Amino acid sequence: MKVQATSPPPRFKAGNCRTIVHEQRTWRHVQADLVRRTGLETEEIAVKSDRHLILLNLKGNSERGEHFLDEKRTGFVSRRPGAVLFIPAGCHWRGWEVGASTAAYLSITVDPVFVADLFSRMATSMLPTLSPDLGCEDTIIMNAARGIGEEIGDQNPLSTMVVESYVATMFAQMFRRQKYVATTRKGGLAVTNLNRVIEKIDGDLTADLSLGQLAALAGLSIPHFCRAFKQTLGCPPHAFIVRRRVERAKEYLRLSTMPITDVALLCGFSSSSHFANTFRRETGTTPQDFRGSSLDKSFE
């Protein structure tokens, strides 16, 4: 049974288009909207909410645009189907995007009080401050979001419990993705500067970012930045970028059938041989073998 929404789609994205499908469901602390649209041109974005927003791209690429977070310009992050976007409560996100003319997304909004209650037993110092993420590919968050989407049409009385468990999974993984904030030590990078640097790195792993660019984001000289970065994360900036590229490649290898050469280029490696050598050094296996083992596990 499908639930057809009686209210319009969420108004954080607007543009000349036609809404084909809009299904909506609300559980105690969570609301989900499944939206399919066609005839898309430029989309205008404007959102500042008292709720956390998670957006799962289901169909159509977001290819170019301009984004601002709390009135500060930030790098544009292209999003493919399966990509997840997160805007924490109280953050102002605005800008514009251009992409596929037919697209679909699942938006999930969550009461921040509910999230705070979920993690209330943990010491505050153990948890990072949730930061915006304009596009990541994370299997755990993606699958949990899809699970919530499937509950939109399910009238089972246990649906609320299921949805809230999915929300707990998503936020636990988001906190885990941002665990570097919790390990910041005296003399290291400030939390806000660290988040800004890592957001820039994750925003375009194919970019050949210089130390000067990253140091400027942190407002430090290059030597000071390098020392502080290593003290905070335990490795130099270049090694960290390589690891992020490898982690992104793992997601592509698990979730897609694209050729390994394409995965290499999408993740910032200059060639398939460069990718294979780096991947083996970081993981102890080849990209081909990693993909094969991931497929084997999926059938266990």
Side-chain angles (χ1 to χ4, degrees):
M1 175 182 175
K2 294 292 183 182
V3 178
Q4 189 66 34
T6 56
S7 58
R11 293 299 300 169
F12 55 83
K13 301 181 78 174
N16 294 324
C17 64
R18 182 167 63 90
T19 298
I20 304 170
V21 174
H22 177 210
E23 297 165 5
Q24 184 183 83
R25 181 86 182 272
T26 300
W27 301 269
R28 284 180 299 191
H29 308 286
V30 184
Q31 178 174 311
D33 289 81
L34 174 63
V35 180
R36 303 184 189 276
R37 302 186 295 176
T38 190
L40 288 169
E41 297 177 358
T42 301
E43 291 185 283
E44 298 291 335
I45 301 164
V47 58
K48 184 173 184 180
S49 174
D50 58 357
R51 295 167 68 89
H52 296 309
L53 168 66
I54 299 161
L55 192 72
L56 173 64
N57 189 18
L58 297 172
K59 181 179 181 180
N61 291 358
S62 173
E63 297 170 352
R64 58 189 176 88
E66 186 177 34
H67 289 160
F68 295 84
L69 291 170
D70 291 332
E71 302 306 322
K72 294 180 180 179
R73 187 172 182 173
T74 187
F76 174 74
V77 181
S78 60
R79 296 190 304 280
R80 299 155 52 93
V84 176
L85 177 149
F86 173 69
I87 304 295
C91 178
H92 184 197
W93 171 41
R94 68 177 182 87
W96 59 271
E97 293 181 350
V98 175
S101 62
T102 299
Y105 65 84
L106 175 69
S107 77
I108 301 166
T109 59
V110 183
D111 185 342
V113 174
F114 174 64
V115 176
D117 287 343
L118 281 174
F119 298 95
S120 60
R121 293 184 180 180
M122 294 187 67
T124 304
S125 61
M126 295 292 291
L127 293 175
T129 300
L130 287 169
S131 300
D133 192 332
L134 295 181
C136 70
E137 297 189 6
D138 187 291
T139 308
I140 294 174
I141 298 174
M142 178 191 71
N143 288 338
R146 287 186 180 278
I148 291 175
E150 291 172 0
E151 292 296 316
I152 290 177
D154 193 334
Q155 298 304 302
N156 191 295
L158 295 176
S159 182
T160 297
M161 183 181 296
V162 171
V163 167
E164 291 181 353
S165 70
Y166 281 133
V167 169
T169 297
M170 287 193 296
F171 279 89
Q173 180 65 359
M174 280 191 278
F175 280 126
R176 187 161 62 177
R177 284 177 60 87
Q178 298 184 33
K179 64 179 180 292
Y180 51 79
V181 177
T183 61
T184 300
R185 298 185 290 273
K186 185 177 180 181
L189 289 173
V191 169
T192 54
N193 290 338
L194 183 59
N195 286 344
R196 192 177 299 122
V197 169
I198 293 181
E199 183 180 298
K200 179 67 174 177
I201 292 170
D202 286 343
D204 188 358
L205 289 173
T206 64
D208 187 17
L209 295 172
S210 69
L211 287 174
Q213 289 174 291
L214 297 177
L217 286 172
L220 302 171
S221 66
I222 292 177
H224 187 181
F225 169 73
C226 291
R227 287 194 301 270
F229 189 98
K230 186 173 183 178
Q231 182 172 355
T232 302
L233 295 181
C235 65
H238 174 70
F240 179 82
I241 292 173
V242 169
R243 291 175 189 174
R244 298 297 258 206
R245 287 173 173 169
V246 168
E247 289 302 314
R248 180 72 57 84
K250 286 181 179 179
E251 298 301 321
Y252 283 129
L253 292 170
R254 289 192 192 101
L255 300 173
S256 78
T257 58
M258 73 174 67
I260 287 178
T261 299
D262 292 349
V263 173
L265 297 177
L266 279 172
C267 295
F269 296 97
S270 58
S271 66
S272 56
S273 60
H274 177 214
F275 173 46
N277 292 335
T278 304
F279 195 92
R280 180 189 285 274
R281 186 180 70 244
E282 293 290 326
T283 67
T285 188
T286 66
Q288 189 68 49
D289 289 344
F290 178 85
R291 170 172 275 172
S293 65
S294 297
L295 289 173
D296 291 342
K297 289 177 182 178
S298 68
F299 289 104
E300 289 180 352

